[in-house]
Amino acid sequence: MDIAPGLSILIPVYNRDVTGLVRALLAQAPAWDGPVEIICLDDASEVAFAALNRGLASLAAVRYEELPENVGRAIIRNRLAAAAHHPWLLLLDNDSVLPDADFLSRYAHNRDRAPVLVGGTIYPAAPPTDPALRLRWLYGRLREARPAALRQRNSHNQLTLNNMLIQADVFRRFGLDEQLTDYGHEDTKFGWLLRAAGVAVHHLDNPVLHDGLESASIFLQKTHDAVRNLARLYLTEGLGRETKLLRTALRLRRLGLSEAVRAAFRLRYQQVQLNLLSGKPNLRQLDALKLYWLLEELSVSV
């Protein structure tokens, strides 16, 4: 009798109480017809959060460790994958909430479809009462919460590390670019590598609920970091032309309009910032800001 393949659930932890998530996953573990382990690696959280999570180490099938210093998103996921014992990896962010009691079961029933499966992310239907959280909520609802059929049309470019089931040998073969130390696009590059190698990606309607809305100011800083990483990938490796943002920026450069667009945007920079930090943010303003940031980054290479 064949033994069903085991599952390693990998959760990078930073300033978040993950005990509820871990216990919910343990409750669903029997739905995966094989052994299940959960590995939580704390990326030098504040003392109060570390104290909340240390009790996880006493739970059966859970490994909890703390890093002495923060290493960032790519390095910690690579370390989690290296520590895993089983042939399947489930990558989850620490601010995920399981949608129902059948989350692991759906992955178990679909794992033969492809070596990489992406379940997606959803956001609360009601906007947050705090105006400072509206931008992150709106972006999540309109840009990230997409059904599987839509994501599958461009499967590798729609890949996200959060809520991804992947064969361990596939993840370890490519890994995440540890040079991308700031926020953003480590998952984008990973998707490009999978596509170039002909590794299939299958999208499912098996989302987790994003439960970690951040303020608009923090989200804008992370978005700026992501734009810098996109520029770096293009300038150093020639990657990223598939993204609408980079295609637009390169077209403006070819037409000789880059400086004019940058100069015009500088005149309304403060107005755009005020809108995005308000309780009624406009995502088109965010798109324009990202284009301005990217043009600024690319101008350095001229």
Side-chain angles (χ1 to χ4, degrees):
M1 180 178 178
D2 293 335
I3 298 176
L7 172 68
S8 296
I9 303 174
L10 311 181
I11 306 174
V13 182
Y14 183 69
N15 287 348
R16 182 83 179 184
D17 181 356
V18 296
T19 55
L21 173 60
V22 171
R23 290 185 180 278
L25 288 164
L26 288 173
Q28 294 192 27
W32 184 277
D33 52 341
V36 175
E37 66 175 355
I38 301 176
I39 309 175
C40 299
L41 193 54
D42 185 279
D43 203 6
S45 293
E46 296 173 6
V47 174
F49 286 101
L52 291 172
N53 291 314
R54 283 180 186 142
L56 294 173
S58 65
L59 298 177
V62 176
R63 279 188 281 159
Y64 171 82
E65 298 179 21
E66 297 174 9
L67 297 178
E69 60 181 11
N70 187 276
V71 297
R73 293 158 54 89
I75 292 176
I76 198 167
R77 287 204 191 273
N78 286 344
R79 290 188 183 181
L80 283 163
H85 291 149
H86 297 309
W88 281 98
L89 309 178
L90 176 57
L91 280 59
L92 291 173
D93 283 352
N94 66 185
D95 55 7
S96 298
V97 175
L98 304 190
D100 53 39
D102 298 318
F103 175 72
L104 283 186
S105 176
R106 279 189 289 271
Y107 270 134
H109 291 150
N110 285 278
R111 65 179 176 232
D112 292 336
R113 288 177 174 265
V116 183
L117 296 94
V118 181
T121 305
I122 55 176
Y123 287 76
T129 55
D130 185 351
L133 304 179
R134 295 284 176 85
L135 176 62
R136 184 66 187 94
W137 172 82
L138 188 66
Y139 186 86
R141 288 278 295 178
L142 298 183
R143 298 291 175 81
E144 294 178 341
R146 297 180 174 182
L150 184 59
R151 288 183 272 123
Q152 192 65 43
R153 294 176 187 175
N154 199 359
S155 60
H156 291 81
N157 283 353
Q158 295 291 321
L159 180 147
T160 55
L161 294 173
N162 182 32
N163 196 15
M164 180 174 72
L165 182 71
I166 182 170
Q167 293 176 358
D169 61 341
V170 173
F171 185 91
R172 293 175 184 140
R173 189 191 325 164
F174 299 99
L176 301 180
D177 187 346
E178 296 186 358
Q179 299 303 310
L180 298 175
T181 54
D182 293 325
Y183 178 91
H185 287 296
E186 66 274 11
D187 50 358
T188 307
K189 181 177 180 180
F190 189 73
W192 294 335
L193 294 176
L194 293 180
R195 183 182 58 198
V199 178
V201 174
H202 182 77
H203 289 262
L204 296 176
D205 285 315
N206 193 26
V208 291
L209 176 69
H210 185 280
D211 190 40
L213 294 178
E214 58 215 350
S215 69
S217 58
I218 293 176
F219 179 61
L220 287 177
Q221 181 57 59
K222 287 185 173 182
T223 302
H224 199 173
D225 289 341
V227 170
R228 291 193 186 98
N229 277 349
L230 178 60
R232 176 180 177 178
L233 287 171
Y234 171 69
L235 294 173
T236 60
E237 303 182 50
L239 299 173
R241 293 176 182 270
E242 301 90 343
T243 65
K244 181 179 179 180
L245 180 61
L246 184 56
R247 288 200 311 269
T248 302
L250 294 177
R251 183 165 66 248
L252 290 173
R253 291 184 74 186
R254 286 195 303 271
L255 295 173
L257 298 175
S258 176
E259 178 53 40
V261 170
R262 288 160 57 209
F265 191 86
R266 288 190 197 105
L267 297 176
R268 46 191 296 266
Y269 190 94
Q270 185 175 7
Q271 177 185 353
V272 170
Q273 287 273 2
L274 288 174
N275 170 262
L276 295 175
L277 294 171
S278 74
K280 296 182 179 181
N282 185 320
L283 292 187
R284 290 186 178 181
Q285 302 274 37
L286 178 62
D287 294 338
L289 179 59
K290 289 166 63 177
L291 178 60
Y292 168 74
W293 281 335
L294 183 55
L295 290 172
E296 290 280 280
E297 294 294 324
L298 296 178
S299 69
V300 178
S301 68
V302 176

